[in-house]
């Protein structure tokens, strides 16, 4: 019988209006990817792990759909600036 591999679990946040993805890896670890607001690309930044759970930060957890819409809007703004 074929064993299905688990897809990574992803949580979507904004931290001070910056999009952040927390992705669990199949080996039990995780990655934190943060949008670079100059390029629109996601880059690893583990410092955001604690920020996502800090009640003193401006943090919002989003659905995948809302996150994707927000990222699309920010990328459009970045493209207009460049």
């Amino acid at each position: 019988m074929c064993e299905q591999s688990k897809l990574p679990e992803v949580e979507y946040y904004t931290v001070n209006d910056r999009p952040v993805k927390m992705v669990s890896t199949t080996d039990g670890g995780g990655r934190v990817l943060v949008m670079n607001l100059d390029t629109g690309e996601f880059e690893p930044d583990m410092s955001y792990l604690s920020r996502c759970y800090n009640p003193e930060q401006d943090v919002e957890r989003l659905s995948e759909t809302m996150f994707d819409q927000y990222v699309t809007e920010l990328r459009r703004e970045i493209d207009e600036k460049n």
Side-chain angles (χ1 to χ4, degrees):
M1 182 176 277
C2 250
E3 183 180 322
Q4 281 188 325
S5 61
K6 287 178 71 174
L7 293 175
E9 191 173 311
V10 182
E11 295 179 12
Y12 302 95
Y13 295 88
T14 57
V15 178
N16 298 323
D17 296 326
R18 183 181 297 260
V20 178
K21 288 194 267 190
M22 293 200 311
V23 182
S24 63
T25 58
T26 55
D27 64 1
R31 294 182 61 197
V32 179
L33 302 170
V34 179
M35 180 184 252
N36 178 319
L37 297 178
D38 291 325
T39 66
E41 297 300 317
F42 282 88
E43 301 171 352
D45 187 341
M46 291 302 287
S47 73
Y48 276 79
L49 180 62
S50 62
R51 295 178 194 192
C52 287
Y53 297 111
N54 184 342
E56 295 179 15
Q57 295 283 329
D58 179 17
V59 177
E60 184 176 0
R61 187 167 179 183
L62 302 175
S63 68
E64 182 177 8
T65 301
M66 289 178 65
F67 183 85
D68 289 343
Q69 290 171 348
Y70 185 58
V71 167
T72 298
E73 177 185 321
L74 284 178
R75 285 181 171 157
R76 190 174 314 131
E77 291 173 10
I78 290 168
D79 287 344
E80 288 174 359
K81 285 194 294 189
N82 295 331

